[in-house]
């Protein structure tokens, strides 16, 4: 492996590594626009110029491979001049109205200007005008004047989704991003073009002008949208909650994982968060003479733990939305301790689209985890036994019987049961069937793990506390068990 | 729905021949566009998508190329197409004045065609004839260095021949 020197540091990298990647490895940042490690190299922005000894001209570090004994300078006067000149070019026709641009705060033009620019404008001419606020797809907006023509978005549509919607038309200072006539940027991964756009040219209709990015907190998590388990960051409004009342999550962003999702997430996963804060079940409810009443957790635990004396009449259906910790607690309590026979998992959502890139048909995050803990897909048998009158008590996690069985069948099922306990984060029509409705936390409100379809166990972190009085399933079950004199200590 | 564009079979045979000379179909894009424009007078959106299908290229790649070169145009041009170079060398040698003068003489703005379809005026990028700066391409002919007098002369010749 060649050894080279960058800014005086010796670095050893595999043959064929570009200078920019070698520098990254050594913790040296080289500014760049068009280069993206998930795409082919375009070499068009010239922001990444570096000085290589024995080369007469500056070299673009994104394209130049390292060689044995190479000596690279990223901080020399020549490099600094070049960086300044490139920025000046890129900003010649730029509107420079950052205060009204939604990218402000996470824009590489802003960042690099402050770091590598800091020149005074010499522009006396009028700026070239281009198309602004153009809707180029169901989720993406284009501002032609903010674009630096790095072509990342074009390469994404060519190389990752192979849908070829985007291109750069015209030439010179009139060049612009355009979408093929009659087409839109409407593929299963279109939101990613916004992530990789280094400037404010592409913005997301779902997010733009909703919240300034510097008010956001970031919490690493895993997308619960399917069994791939793409790594994500939850961006939530931490500092100005009153500006987006009742909505904490502002957007989901992909988090790099070389083995699972690389740099990307699908649109289904990306926009799959509005439900987090909508229609939540906020307090434990008990139905008394047909009317739901709010109760305290103590009352709920006290009464429900009494049911543990009748495990033979009990059925438990967990959901593959639950974390491994929640499932393990259910397994310990119902299977190991109470010896309940009728325990199963059920998919909470119907299966959906699957593709070669990321999307998996199983639209729940933790089927493998449930299987690993011994749960089986036997909910059908449980429904049969309810109808036969063998199961009188059902603990149902997160499911909506109305949706699964249809209204009539669900009501019939209900009539065979003595007690129906539903634990779930959301209020829905199926909740009205329950004798007990216990509010549980959603994935963004808890720590834990999901096991993806390959068996990879991945960590999710709690972004914010559960809404209302909600608790994780794990806590609810643990407390209920304690009331019944059963002490469970889980290490997962 | 409008009928799908049909390339003339004569031209198609010619195009097939060109394409077969390249290692990949896609590489023949420029000559194919060139011949198509020669035959039809412009590259219409229909021709663009025909070429994309023919060379198995995404439509956007064809659009990128067509829009990059001033050589290709989407509208039909007049009988005498004045393409005035506006690039570096020509600009240093005074093309701006020549362009203004021609606009005045033809009573046309950049990109316009006269109503009788006799004249079109466009400004274009370097035509690789900087030694003739300031210069223009009049249909297939390179003319330069231009002066107001030489422009007058050219217009007079056209008038006589008409
Ligand atoms: S829109 Fe953004 S990603 Fe696309 S070329 Fe312009 S700056 Fe680059
Ligand atoms: S592929 Fe699956 S896990 Fe990845 S973002 Fe889409 S829904 Fe989420
Ligand atoms: S990052 Fe190297 S040229 Fe753009
Ligand atoms: S600049 Fe006009 S021909 Fe080159």
């Amino acid at each position: 492996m060649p050894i080279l020197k960058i800014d005086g540091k010796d670095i050893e990298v595999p043959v064929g590594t570009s200078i920019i990647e070698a520098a990254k490895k050594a913790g040296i940042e080289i500014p760049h626009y068009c280069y993206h490690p998930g795409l082919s190299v375009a070499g068009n922005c010239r922001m990444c110029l570096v000085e290589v000894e024995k080369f007469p001209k500056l070299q673009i570090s994104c394209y130049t491979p390292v060689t044995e004994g190479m000596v690279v300078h990223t901080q020399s006067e020549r490099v600094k001049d070049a960086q300044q000149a490139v920025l000046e070019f890129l900003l010649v026709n730029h509107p420079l109205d950052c205060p009204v641009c939604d990218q402000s705060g996470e824009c590489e033009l802003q960042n690099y200007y402050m770091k590598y620019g800091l020149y005074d404008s010499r522009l006396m001419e009028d700026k070239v005008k281009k198309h602004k606020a153009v809707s180029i797809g169901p989720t993406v907006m284009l501002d032609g004047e903010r674009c630096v023509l790095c072509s990342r978005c074009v390469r994404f549509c060519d190389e990752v989704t192979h849908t070829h919607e985007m291109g750069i038309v015209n030439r010179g200072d009139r060049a612009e991003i355009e979408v093929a006539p009659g087409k839109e940027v409407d593929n299963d991964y279109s939101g990613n073009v916004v992530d990789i756009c280094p400037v404010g040219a592409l913005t997301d209709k779902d997010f733009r002008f909703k919240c300034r990015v510097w008010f956001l907190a970031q919490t690493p998590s895993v997308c619960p949208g399917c069994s791939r388990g793409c790594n994500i960051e939850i961006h939530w409004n931490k500092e100005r909650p009153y500006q987006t009342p009742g909505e904490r999550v502002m957007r989901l962003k992909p988090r790099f994982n070389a083995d699972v999702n690389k740099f990307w997430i699908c649109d289904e996963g990306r926009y799959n968060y509005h439900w987090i804060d909508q229609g939540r079940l906020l307090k434990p409810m008990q139905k008394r003479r047909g009317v739901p009443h709010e109760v305290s957790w103590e009352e709920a635990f006290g009464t429900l733990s009494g049911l543990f004396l009748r495990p033979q009449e009990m059925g438990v259906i967990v959901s593959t939305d639950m974390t491994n910790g929640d499932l393990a607690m259910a397994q310990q309590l119902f299977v190991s301790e109470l010896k309940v026979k009728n325990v199963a998992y059920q998919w909470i959502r119907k299966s959906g689209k699957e593709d070669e890139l990321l999307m998996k048909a199983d639209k729940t995050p933790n089927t493998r985890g449930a299987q690993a803990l011994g749960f089986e897909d036997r909910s059908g048998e449980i429904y049969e036994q309810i109808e036969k009158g063998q199961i009188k008590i059902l603990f149902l996690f997160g499911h909506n019987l109305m949706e699964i069985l249809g209204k009539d069948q669900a009501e019939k099922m209900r009539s065979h049961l003595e007690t129906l306990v539903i634990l779930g984060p959301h209020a829905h029509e199926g909740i009205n069937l329950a004798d007990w409705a216990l509010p549980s936390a959603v994935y963004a409100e808890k720590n834990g793990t999901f096991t993806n379809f390959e068996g990879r166990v991945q960590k999710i972190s709690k972004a914010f506390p559960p809404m209302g009085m909600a608790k994780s399933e794990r806590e609810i079950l643990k407390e209920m068990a304690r009331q019944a004199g059963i002490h469970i200590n889980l290490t997962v | 729905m409008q009928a799908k564009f049909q390339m003339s079979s004569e031209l198609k045979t010619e195009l097939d021949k060109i394409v077969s000379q390249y290692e990949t179909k896609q590489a023949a894009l420029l000559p194919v566009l060139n011949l198509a424009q020669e035959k039809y007078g412009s590259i219409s959106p229909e021709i663009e998508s025909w070429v994309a299908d023919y060379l198995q290229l995404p439509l956007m790649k064809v659009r990128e190329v067509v829009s990059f070169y001033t050589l290709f145009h989407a509208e039909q041009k007049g009988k005498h197409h004045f393409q005035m170079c506006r690039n570096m060398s020509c600009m240093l040698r005074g093309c701006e004045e020549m362009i203004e003068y021609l606009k005045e003489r033809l009573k046309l703005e950049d990109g316009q065609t006269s109503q009788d379809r006799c004249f079109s005026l466009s400004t274009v990028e370097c035509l690789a004839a900087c030694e003739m700066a300031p210069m223009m391409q009049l249909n297939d002919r390179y003319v330069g260095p231009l002066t107001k007098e030489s422009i007058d002369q050219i217009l007079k010749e056209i008038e006589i021949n008409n």
Side-chain angles (χ1 to χ4, degrees):
Chain A
M1 294 211 294
I3 300 180
L4 74 159
K5 217 185 241 321
I6 305 182
D7 294 346
K9 275 195 208 174
D10 284 322
I11 301 153
E12 190 172 353
V13 286
V15 183
T17 309
S18 59
I19 297 176
I20 203 169
E21 281 297 326
K24 198 193 281 173
K25 214 177 146 204
I28 297 167
E29 182 203 63
I30 298 178
H32 57 278
Y33 289 112
C34 66
Y35 176 69
H36 188 287
L39 302 171
S40 65
V41 173
N44 61 34
C45 76
R46 319 312 279 186
M47 192 64 215
C48 67
L49 287 168
V50 293
E51 190 167 348
V52 183
E53 280 184 15
K54 301 207 184 83
F55 279 60
K57 284 186 175 183
L58 299 183
Q59 299 296 311
I60 50 171
S61 59
C62 63
Y63 184 68
T64 315
V66 301
T67 52
E68 179 63 46
M70 195 179 233
V71 183
V72 179
H73 303 282
T74 74
Q75 303 289 327
S76 68
E77 278 315 304
R78 276 177 78 198
V79 172
K80 286 183 180 165
D81 276 354
Q83 289 167 338
Q84 221 179 37
V86 169
L87 271 171
E88 195 173 7
F89 261 124
L90 289 174
L91 287 168
V92 159
N93 287 311
H94 197 86
L96 298 179
D97 53 0
C98 307
V100 300
C101 174
D102 198 50
Q103 187 81 2
S104 210
E106 53 180 1
C107 171
E108 294 307 340
L109 280 171
Q110 282 182 327
N111 295 345
Y112 290 166
Y113 177 81
M114 297 312 288
K115 250 177 147 167
Y116 308 101
L118 293 178
Y119 57 83
D120 289 323
S121 173
R122 292 182 286 171
L123 186 77
M124 313 286 275
E125 294 79 10
D126 290 339
K127 296 201 178 218
V128 176
K129 296 282 172 229
K130 289 183 188 172
H131 297 97
K132 290 181 83 74
V134 191
S135 168
I136 57 168
T139 66
V140 187
M141 291 290 273
L142 165 71
D143 184 321
E145 290 181 353
R146 303 193 195 283
C147 171
V148 293
L149 298 167
C150 69
S151 82
R152 278 185 184 182
C153 55
V154 177
R155 279 174 284 146
F156 179 83
C157 295
D158 286 345
E159 296 163 14
V160 181
T161 58
H162 306 288
T163 43
H164 311 288
E165 298 98 333
M166 304 182 77
I168 296 175
V169 296
N170 301 333
R171 168 175 179 166
D173 61 4
R174 290 163 304 272
E176 247 185 296
I177 284 291
E178 204 181 85
V179 175
K183 270 210 186 179
E184 285 199 307
V185 183
D186 185 9
N187 55 60
D188 291 328
Y189 297 85
S190 39
N192 292 289
V193 298
V194 175
D195 299 337
I196 59 177
C197 179
V199 300
L202 300 179
T203 48
D204 198 316
K205 289 184 191 171
D206 181 69
F207 176 74
R208 64 201 306 260
F209 305 125
K210 200 158 69 171
C211 182
R212 278 308 198 177
V213 296
W214 49 87
F215 297 140
L216 296 177
Q218 289 109 21
T219 307
S221 190
V222 168
C223 173
C226 80
S227 58
R228 170 76 58 182
C230 292
N231 292 204
I232 57 166
E233 252 177 24
I234 301 173
H235 288 191
W236 52 283
N237 185 350
K238 187 181 184 189
E239 309 221 354
R240 293 288 191 281
Y242 48 86
Q243 287 179 346
T244 56
E247 229 199 334
R248 293 174 293 179
V249 180
M250 294 288 101
R251 64 179 178 185
L252 303 180
K253 284 275 188 186
R255 184 162 56 91
F256 177 72
N257 184 321
D259 301 309
V260 179
N261 57 302
K262 305 215 162 58
F263 304 90
W264 326 119
I265 53 174
C266 76
D267 286 355
E268 228 173 70
R270 181 184 301 268
Y271 304 114
N272 173 32
Y273 69 86
H274 293 282
W275 53 268
I276 288 179
D277 288 333
Q278 278 167 14
R280 290 291 294 270
L281 200 57
L282 297 173
K283 292 181 177 144
M285 308 285 275
Q286 182 195 13
K287 211 184 261 170
R288 293 179 190 151
R289 279 179 234 99
V291 185
H293 282 269
E294 286 173 17
V295 291
S296 69
W297 276 115
E298 286 64 36
E299 274 178 275
F301 294 148
T303 318
L304 290 171
S305 56
L307 296 173
F308 294 173
L309 297 169
R310 301 159 61 196
Q312 330 76 290
E313 297 165 78
M314 211 183 260
V316 177
I317 302 178
V318 297
S319 104
T320 49
D321 264 0
M322 290 159 71
T323 65
N324 285 320
D326 295 328
L327 287 168
M329 182 58 80
Q331 195 269 348
Q332 283 285 308
L333 173 61
F334 294 112
V335 183
S336 302
E337 295 289 340
L338 299 175
K339 311 275 188 283
V340 176
K341 293 253 156 20
N342 297 298
V343 176
Y345 74 75
Q346 179 157 39
W347 281 297
I348 195 164
R349 282 178 291 281
K350 297 212 171 52
S351 65
K353 188 164 181 174
E354 172 151 340
D355 67 12
E356 305 274 278
L357 196 52
L358 297 175
M359 295 165 87
K360 301 297 291 177
D362 174 3
K363 296 298 171 193
T364 63
N366 204 23
T367 306
R368 275 294 289 268
Q371 288 166 345
L373 282 159
F375 293 99
E376 289 174 69
D377 184 14
R378 297 196 295 118
S379 55
E381 290 170 34
I382 295 183
Y383 294 128
E384 267 169 39
Q385 294 199 44
I386 295 173
E387 283 193 85
K388 286 191 200 143
Q390 287 158 345
I391 293 177
K392 298 213 169 61
I393 302 161
L394 180 65
F395 276 86
L396 187 66
F397 289 83
H399 296 288
N400 182 348
L401 280 182
M402 296 266 201
E403 226 172 76
I404 297 169
L405 304 170
K407 191 164 185 291
D408 294 346
Q409 194 58 23
E411 274 165 4
K412 203 167 125 217
M413 198 63 67
R414 165 68 263 216
S415 65
H416 291 293
L417 284 168
E418 193 184 296
T419 309
L420 172 61
V421 184
I422 300 182
L423 291 87
H426 290 95
H428 46 71
E429 55 168 353
I431 283 281
N432 300 330
L433 299 174
D435 299 290
W436 292 87
L438 307 180
S440 65
V442 300
Y443 79 102
E445 297 166 340
K446 52 192 175 191
N447 292 312
T449 56
F450 289 141
T451 307
N452 86 345
F453 75 105
E454 302 165 300
R456 189 182 295 273
V457 181
Q458 305 193 95
K459 189 167 173 287
I460 61 168
S461 310
K462 177 173 173 174
F464 34 70
M467 197 180 247
M469 288 167 67
K471 291 176 188 291
S472 69
E473 288 89 341
R474 175 179 170 149
E475 271 177 90
I476 298 171
L477 294 179
K478 184 172 177 161
E479 201 45 42
M480 229 183 260
R482 209 177 55 84
Q483 295 272 332
I486 305 167
H487 292 275
I488 303 172
N489 271 317
L490 283 182
T491 46
V492 279
Chain B
M1 237 200 86
Q2 113 198 58
K4 216 172 143 92
F5 173 80
Q6 284 293 329
M7 182 62 69
S8 92
S9 58
E10 239 170 89
L11 185 60
K12 171 78 169 37
T13 324
E14 213 174 319
L15 295 181
D16 287 344
K17 219 187 293 159
I18 292 178
V19 169
S20 68
Q21 290 169 357
Y22 289 86
E23 220 164 282
T24 62
K25 275 185 158 194
Q26 290 77 7
L29 180 56
L30 278 178
V32 165
L33 286 170
N34 223 342
L35 278 181
Q37 176 161 297
E38 225 168 69
K39 161 98 187 164
Y40 292 99
S42 67
I43 301 289
S44 62
E46 292 75 33
I47 296 182
E48 247 171 40
S49 55
W50 185 89
V51 171
D53 285 347
Y54 176 58
L55 297 179
Q56 288 166 343
L57 276 165
L59 179 56
M60 218 38 220
K61 297 294 152 219
V62 180
R63 273 208 56 65
E64 286 183 329
V65 169
V66 169
S67 69
F68 182 86
Y69 293 102
T70 48
L71 160 74
F72 300 120
H73 34 83
E75 16 14 86
Q76 299 285 335
K77 294 293 179 188
K79 190 167 160 210
H80 305 281
H81 186 190
F82 290 79
Q83 302 188 62
M84 300 286 289
C85 176
R86 63 176 172 216
N87 218 301
M88 181 76 86
S89 311
C90 291
M91 191 168 278
L92 290 173
R93 307 260 304 164
C95 74
E96 280 170 310
E97 207 190 330
M98 293 307 117
I99 292 170
E100 281 316 307
Y101 183 66
L102 191 62
K103 279 183 183 171
E104 209 182 286
R105 287 290 323 262
L106 295 178
K107 306 217 162 29
L108 290 177
E109 284 303 314
D110 186 4
Q112 287 183 339
T113 298
S114 62
Q115 228 144 36
D116 59 4
R117 309 213 64 81
C118 198
F119 298 110
S120 288
L121 173 62
S122 321
T123 60
V124 300
E125 307 300 342
C126 179
L127 292 166
C130 303
E131 74 283 1
M132 302 167 87
M135 60 82 65
M136 71 166 166
Q137 181 180 349
L138 176 55
N139 293 346
D140 289 335
R141 189 154 63 95
Y142 275 14
V143 194
L146 294 171
T147 58
K148 287 185 182 173
E149 291 70 41
S150 68
I151 289 176
D152 288 339
Q153 183 63 34
I154 289 162
L155 290 175
K156 203 183 221 163
E157 278 166 26
I158 291 176
E159 217 171 295
I160 296 168
N161 293 336
N162 257 353

